[in-house]
Amino acid sequence: MPLKLFKCDETIPERKRHCYVKQPGEDTTMFLPDANINTIPGTLSERGCSFCGSKLVIGGVLKDTIQLIHGPVGCAYNTWHTKRYPSDNDNFQLKHAWSTDVKERHVVFGGEKILKQSMLEAFAEFPNIKRMIVYTTCATALIGDDPKAVAREVQKELGDVDIFCSECAGFAGVSQSKGHHVFNISWMNEKVGTFEPEIKSPYTINLIGDYNIQGDSYVLSRYLDRMGIQVIAHFTGNGTYDGLRSMHKAQLSVVNCARSAGYIANELKKTYNIPRIDIDSWGFDYTAEGLRKIGTFFGIEDKVEELISEEYAKWKPKLDWYKEKLKGKKACIWTGGPRLWHWTKSLEDDLGVEVVAMSSKFGHQEDFEKVIARGKTGAIYLDDANELEFFEVLDEVKPDVIFTGPRVGDLVKKLHIPYINGHAYHNGPYMGFEGFVNLARDVYNATRSPLWELAGEDIREV
């Protein structure tokens, strides 16, 4: 049967709708796992909350902005320093965390006073920073605080600051995906078109859905610079607050992570008639294809082909060496959503690694359509998987390496299976030509390490 009920889920049979095994002759018009719906009670979800999707994934990446979390201090702590997105602003966004530190008394009597005090204190402590994003959390949303009203007061009082409020409490949606959506649409409605950038090139784009994980944005920016293309706005890797306000001035929106940021690209097309193209930036074939799409749009195909030729000459021999060593290895991809379909064919085509199981935390059915279309027959696809399902999958497919986050990564390490950090990378960047060689190197080192075998030995018995 294409839909699979794991033994661990016998007491929650609804989980069967979320687990699919691709069969010969089937396509996505016949079977898709349920996705982007409430977690079933009784299953231990790996999902993040909607506030996390707004702050940790998107807003918190900006390099010149105070990120003030209006809520208990734990909400700030749990979304700080867990992603590796550097910036050329001395990593400002990684060094600091801001919280109103809401306590029980604020829940009872209201938190707007402490919010205003915290906003003024934050601007006073960082006099060179004039931009702020305020995030509501579950506690402050439930008591009805109005951060936008407070923001207007502070802007009027200080005069030279600009503040955006992301009102997306943790409970707002079924996963962090809701936070992506709310941030995209709110920013579009309130901030896009409020700042005019300096145009320096006849070719301008918005680079959307790239978060500079371990320098991904630096790699893509170098390619675009060599093509003579100006990036008006990085949404949001190594990006700036005012850059995002300028998105209306780009000629083209280039979307990498469609799940977290495709919404704003669609709104830009609808409101400003800015066309959208989607690219994959992981893997040699996909990176070259994406650059060619951009080059064709602007009519600069010759520059693109020159760049691709130079990069292939520099990096392809190294990739081929790793491919020869990794051919036939089996991998699982247990990440957020889009990286399932970004990575599955790249791993198979560029590295010879067979992808045997994939799990998404916040993907929608659209994401499963893409990955199932690209995936191999017999592969297992899970939505919102739980820990016990992971154990059964491991027993069934016996992978050599797993791409996942640190939480599940710590779990599989105890089983002496190597993992690659699929969220924040091990030794990135992973995007682009050089990035995929970095990924290949990390997979090679992980699967060839003698530690996994040694870890299974009890030295007291040797």
Side-chain angles (χ1 to χ4, degrees):
M1 292 293 292
L3 297 179
K4 182 181 180 67
L5 181 67
F6 289 96
K7 185 175 178 60
C8 63
D9 293 330
E10 288 177 351
T11 56
I12 42 175
E14 299 93 334
R15 281 295 302 161
K16 181 177 181 179
R17 303 196 306 268
H18 297 261
C19 306
Y20 169 73
V21 182
K22 187 173 182 178
Q23 300 295 314
E26 292 179 355
D27 60 38
T28 53
T29 64
M30 302 167 68
F31 294 100
L32 278 176
D34 284 354
N36 195 39
I37 61 176
N38 288 326
T39 296
I40 299 168
T43 182
L44 181 61
S45 176
E46 290 288 334
R47 285 172 166 172
C49 72
S50 299
F51 154 73
C52 173
S54 176
K55 192 275 176 183
L56 178 64
V57 176
I58 299 183
V61 189
L62 293 175
K63 64 184 178 183
D64 64 345
T65 304
I66 293 170
Q67 310 281 338
L68 180 60
I69 290 85
H70 184 34
V73 71
C75 296
Y77 179 79
N78 288 331
T79 54
W80 174 60
H81 236 292
T82 61
K83 284 268 191 163
R84 301 171 182 172
Y85 34 53
S87 74
D88 57 14
N89 189 30
D90 198 29
N91 296 323
F92 173 79
Q93 77 288 357
L94 294 178
K95 291 182 175 180
H96 307 284
W98 298 266
S99 171
T100 55
D101 192 19
V102 165
K103 304 290 189 183
E104 184 177 354
R105 65 180 180 274
H106 303 120
V107 173
V108 174
F109 297 108
E112 291 182 6
K113 183 177 179 180
I114 189 68
L115 173 59
K116 182 176 181 180
Q117 177 185 332
S118 299
M119 294 167 76
L120 293 171
E121 285 181 3
F123 280 123
E125 286 293 323
F126 297 91
N128 294 324
I129 303 296
K130 302 297 183 180
R131 303 294 181 258
M132 175 184 287
I133 300 177
V134 177
Y135 302 86
T136 56
T137 59
C138 293
T140 52
L142 283 169
I143 64 175
D145 280 354
D146 186 353
K148 290 184 178 180
V150 178
R152 287 192 293 269
E153 289 181 20
V154 172
Q155 288 180 135
K156 185 176 180 180
E157 190 170 322
L158 297 182
D160 61 347
V161 302
D162 198 276
I163 303 168
F164 172 69
C165 298
S166 177
E167 296 187 274
C168 188
F171 58 74
V174 302
S175 73
Q176 66 194 64
S177 180
K178 180 67 173 181
H180 308 155
H181 190 189
V182 169
F183 192 104
N184 277 237
I185 301 303
S186 298
W187 187 271
M188 179 69 198
N189 291 340
E190 298 174 27
K191 294 300 179 182
V192 172
T194 62
F195 189 87
E196 295 299 315
E198 180 184 357
I199 304 299
K200 303 176 181 179
S201 168
Y203 316 119
T204 58
I205 69 168
N206 294 315
L207 187 57
I208 296 174
D210 162 50
Y211 304 105
N212 202 31
I213 304 300
Q214 286 205 31
D216 279 344
S217 298
Y218 301 154
V219 174
L220 299 182
S221 293
R222 287 196 294 270
Y223 296 161
L224 295 166
D225 286 345
R226 288 161 64 183
M227 294 161 61
I229 294 173
Q230 177 186 357
V231 180
I232 297 293
H234 289 268
F235 192 95
T236 52
N238 198 39
T240 65
Y241 187 102
D242 287 346
L244 266 60
R245 296 166 69 194
S246 310
M247 297 180 82
H248 61 295
K249 286 299 186 179
Q251 297 164 291
L252 175 68
S253 290
V254 178
V255 179
N256 193 59
C257 179
R259 177 49 50 227
S260 64
Y263 313 104
I264 199 165
N266 291 341
E267 294 300 310
L268 287 165
K269 183 177 182 180
K270 183 168 63 177
T271 305
Y272 296 101
N273 200 31
I274 300 173
R276 162 185 173 169
I277 63 171
D278 289 54
I279 65 170
D280 293 84
S281 300
W282 291 281
F284 273 48
D285 292 343
Y286 281 148
T287 299
E289 178 185 314
L291 294 174
R292 287 183 175 119
K293 285 182 181 179
I294 300 170
T296 300
F297 179 86
F298 289 115
I300 52 173
E301 294 90 339
D302 53 339
K303 291 184 178 181
V304 175
E305 294 305 324
E306 181 182 353
L307 185 154
I308 292 172
S309 178
E310 291 175 358
E311 294 298 308
Y312 261 69
K314 184 176 181 179
W315 299 106
K316 190 64 162 62
K318 298 179 181 181
L319 186 80
D320 289 341
W321 186 89
Y322 285 118
K323 182 175 182 178
E324 185 62 31
K325 307 296 182 183
L326 296 173
K327 193 178 299 181
K329 296 290 186 184
K330 294 192 294 185
C332 296
I333 306 175
W334 295 342
T335 55
R339 287 187 188 174
L340 274 63
W341 50 268
H342 281 304
W343 284 357
T344 180
K345 282 290 285 179
S346 296
L347 289 172
E348 291 174 352
D349 293 347
D350 290 348
L351 294 182
V353 174
E354 181 185 1
V355 181
V356 292
M358 283 158 273
S359 174
S360 168
K361 294 180 183 179
F362 58 81
H364 296 202
Q365 287 204 309
E366 173 189 356
D367 299 299
F368 279 103
E369 286 180 328
K370 293 177 181 178
V371 70
I372 290 172
R374 295 181 176 186
K376 299 176 73 69
T377 298
I380 300 172
Y381 303 87
L382 300 103
D383 166 70
D384 191 21
N386 62 56
E387 183 177 303
L388 297 180
E389 289 170 350
F390 286 145
F391 283 131
E392 289 197 39
V393 170
L394 294 176
D395 285 340
E396 185 172 333
V397 302
K398 295 180 171 50
D400 298 293
V401 65
I402 298 171
F403 292 82
T404 188
R407 283 182 296 179
V408 178
D410 286 341
L411 170 71
V412 299
K413 281 194 293 187
K414 295 175 183 178
L415 302 175
H416 310 145
I417 302 172
Y419 96 97
I420 302 297
N421 192 328
H423 299 159
Y425 306 163
H426 266 57
N427 300 284
Y430 284 173
M431 282 188 183
F433 303 104
E434 64 187 90
F436 216 65
V437 171
N438 292 339
L439 183 146
R441 178 205 58 217
D442 283 352
V443 175
Y444 174 82
N445 289 341
T447 56
R448 292 297 183 105
S449 172
L451 291 176
W452 305 110
E453 184 177 346
L454 293 172
E457 296 182 3
D458 188 337
I459 60 173
R460 295 168 298 183
E461 299 174 358
V462 173

